[in-house]
Amino acid sequence: MPNGTVVVALTLNGPARASGPGEPVRVLVHAANRARALTRVRNLGLRAVYLRGNAQPPTPDEVTAVLHHPDGLLWRTAPQTGQELWHPIRALLGSSGYAGPARPAA
């Protein structure tokens, strides 16, 4: 981006459902740099995510979508089917907003 920030696009396995493994999802992250983008994703509990290469860079439409979202973190199923809109990351991770293990109450 002209201001020095980056938009990183990742294709990840979606959360498992009762009917079986989850569908792949496309995740967009807007951050100051690639390392911060990775940190933002890992802070959500997605620890096994790595950035290697640039096999599927974000399209101009994806960049526009993530830049206009207040959180700077969006997702939708991949490959795109129909006219599915982008969703905030909280919709993917559940009501807690964290994909990691639950901590026992102290």
Side-chain angles (χ1 to χ4, degrees):
M1 304 300 304
N3 64 354
T5 61
V6 297
V7 173
V8 175
L10 304 161
T11 301
L12 308 171
N13 291 329
R17 307 276 184 220
S19 59
E23 299 176 337
V25 294
R26 180 88 163 164
V27 176
L28 299 176
V29 184
H30 181 225
N33 55 47
R34 286 175 55 100
R36 295 226 179 188
L38 181 60
T39 299
R40 289 191 75 190
V41 172
R42 286 184 173 174
N43 285 345
L44 295 170
L46 303 170
R47 304 274 184 228
V49 175
Y50 295 95
L51 299 177
R52 293 190 181 117
N54 199 18
Q56 295 179 331
T59 65
D61 290 339
E62 291 175 334
V63 171
T64 301
V66 77
L67 290 178
H68 286 88
H69 193 272
D71 291 339
L73 266 163
L74 299 172
W75 72 275
R76 70 176 172 196
T77 57
Q80 170 68 26
T81 55
Q83 293 295 321
E84 181 184 7
L85 299 176
W86 289 97
H87 309 283
I89 200 71
R90 288 182 302 273
L92 178 66
L93 302 177
S95 61
S96 68
Y98 176 70
R103 294 184 180 173

